Amino acid sequence: EVQLVESGGGLVQPGRSLKLSCAASGFTFSNYYMAWVRQAPKKGLEWVATISTSGSRTYYPDSVKGRFTISRDNAKSSLYLQMNSLKSEDTATYYCARMWEPHFDYWGQGVMVTVSS
Amino acid sequence: DVVMTQTPVSLSVSLGGQTSISCRSSQSLVHSDGNTYLYWYLQKPGQSPQLLIYKVSNRFSGVPDRFSGSGSGTDFTLKISRVEPEDLGVYYCYQGTHYPWTFGGGTKLELK
């Protein structure tokens, strides 16, 4: 059974940093692209970042490019999201997701990030 | 960015009834490789999204045949027949053809 478990969320002040983690199990992690998708409170879904199987290629939308960095450790079956220069509009539930072709076939339960002073 | 417009925003349906959700994209979703990367997700209350339909009309593993997807180019439809209580929630369409990948605004399915 595919399992994705996020951690590292919490309350952070604007301009500060936070790093999210996602522990994967139930599949061969190194064979899949992985991604982060977020959902602001009572809002829709927004793709945030994607990383290739080896970690050599990363992709971001303009809203987070230059501030967020996705990375992975295949030996630990773990995915990360380093978030810098956080803004109030980054407040959201962040989901770790496995990718197959250009879509997300399995999602974690999500972790909440609140950016507020 | 490709804008995905879903209609209606909310929908009331009777158990056992049938309904449909429309999704329109601001650009054609036909990729240069010939595929159309249009997907449907359901987010049940308090849960993370789950994949229902991939590449327009293919049901994901375990998805009942009450769900069907259709469409082409810029116009797509999700049909739900014989609605059951576990079908309630918010439905999202999503495109993976053009960067940045984008989701529709969602359609909330409620009981009448």
Side-chain angles (χ1 to χ4, degrees):
Chain A
E1 178 193 4
V2 173
Q3 285 200 324
L4 300 167
V5 180
E6 302 94 338
S7 61
L11 174 65
V12 60
Q13 293 178 329
R16 303 298 291 264
S17 300
L18 197 65
K19 186 173 185 177
L20 305 181
S21 300
C22 171
S25 60
F27 64 101
T28 304
F29 182 74
S30 58
N31 285 353
Y32 290 85
Y33 278 49
M34 296 294 295
W36 291 95
V37 179
R38 69 183 179 184
Q39 184 171 35
K42 305 294 185 185
K43 299 292 185 182
L45 300 163
E46 180 186 18
W47 165 66
V48 170
T50 288
I51 189 167
S52 63
T53 52
S54 66
S56 60
R57 287 169 290 175
T58 57
Y59 309 86
Y60 308 92
D62 287 347
S63 57
V64 306
K65 194 177 294 182
R67 299 189 301 122
F68 288 13
T69 302
I70 188 173
S71 61
R72 66 192 296 161
D73 185 336
N74 286 342
K76 294 182 178 179
S77 295
S78 293
L79 178 72
Y80 307 100
L81 184 68
Q82 175 68 47
M83 303 184 292
N84 298 332
S85 304
L86 282 162
K87 307 174 182 180
S88 58
E89 52 263 43
D90 296 319
T91 293
T93 295
Y94 285 74
Y95 295 101
C96 166
R98 192 180 82 168
M99 294 202 70
W100 180 250
E101 298 186 326
H103 73 279
F104 320 100
D105 59 355
Y106 290 95
W107 302 58
Q109 283 306 301
V111 62
M112 185 68 200
V113 173
T114 302
V115 183
S116 174
S117 54
Chain B
D1 297 3
V2 174
V3 177
M4 305 293 286
T5 302
Q6 288 183 233
T7 54
V9 172
S10 63
L11 208 45
S12 292
V13 63
S14 300
L15 290 179
Q18 179 174 299
T19 192
S20 63
I21 300 169
S22 171
C23 176
R24 288 188 172 177
S25 57
S26 59
Q27 300 177 33
S28 173
L29 297 186
V30 179
H31 194 274
S32 56
D33 65 8
N35 287 303
T36 300
Y37 295 110
L38 184 282
Y39 305 81
W40 290 96
Y41 292 88
L42 165 61
Q43 186 173 31
K44 298 180 181 180
Q47 296 186 20
S48 54
Q50 58 188 79
L51 178 64
L52 294 176
I53 301 288
Y54 64 96
K55 288 195 288 187
V56 181
S57 59
N58 300 280
R59 280 186 297 277
F60 188 54
S61 174
V63 175
D65 61 6
R66 301 183 293 100
F67 293 89
S68 63
S70 63
S72 63
T74 61
D75 290 343
F76 303 92
T77 302
L78 176 70
K79 290 185 180 177
I80 313 166
S81 59
R82 307 184 304 279
V83 171
E84 297 187 5
E86 58 263 32
D87 300 339
L88 305 183
V90 181
Y91 289 79
Y92 294 95
C93 60
Y94 157 84
Q95 67 84 18
T97 298
H98 303 285
Y99 281 108
W101 302 324
T102 49
F103 291 86
T107 296
K108 187 173 186 178
L109 185 65
E110 299 174 306
L111 274 182
K112 189 177 292 182

